[in-house]
Amino acid sequence: MTGGEMDALIAGLTGARREVEQVLLLCGRFVDNRAASGDPVAAALSRRLASAFDRLTAENVAAVTALRDHRPDATA
């Protein structure tokens, strides 16, 4: 894989993560409002959404960093 191909892959992963993050944030706001009114199911879902958001971000950042570190033109 060339450096340019890796750059395209990194851009795609980063863009996809941002789109999913936006959806999770919007869902989170809706669920948080329901949870604030005492809905126990919404409270549980709110925690799951927050966990998913954190995991998605951490795993994506780790993957992008690994790709950048292993580019053909990367320096050690």
Side-chain angles (χ1 to χ4, degrees):
M1 181 177 284
T2 67
E5 291 170 329
M6 289 186 101
D7 286 341
L9 180 59
I10 289 167
L13 287 170
T14 302
R17 183 197 81 228
R18 287 183 181 142
E19 287 182 42
V20 173
E21 283 176 345
Q22 288 177 354
V23 170
L24 287 172
L25 287 171
L26 289 171
C27 291
R29 286 184 194 137
F30 173 78
V31 170
D32 287 346
N33 287 337
R34 294 284 308 249
S37 68
D39 184 337
V41 173
L45 185 54
S46 177
R47 290 188 297 275
R48 294 285 307 268
L49 283 169
S51 176
F53 180 87
D54 292 344
R55 183 174 175 202
L56 167 75
T57 300
E59 289 184 7
N60 184 271
V61 168
V64 167
T65 300
L67 285 170
R68 284 188 181 135
D69 290 347
H70 291 90
R71 283 178 42 109
D73 58 350
T75 56

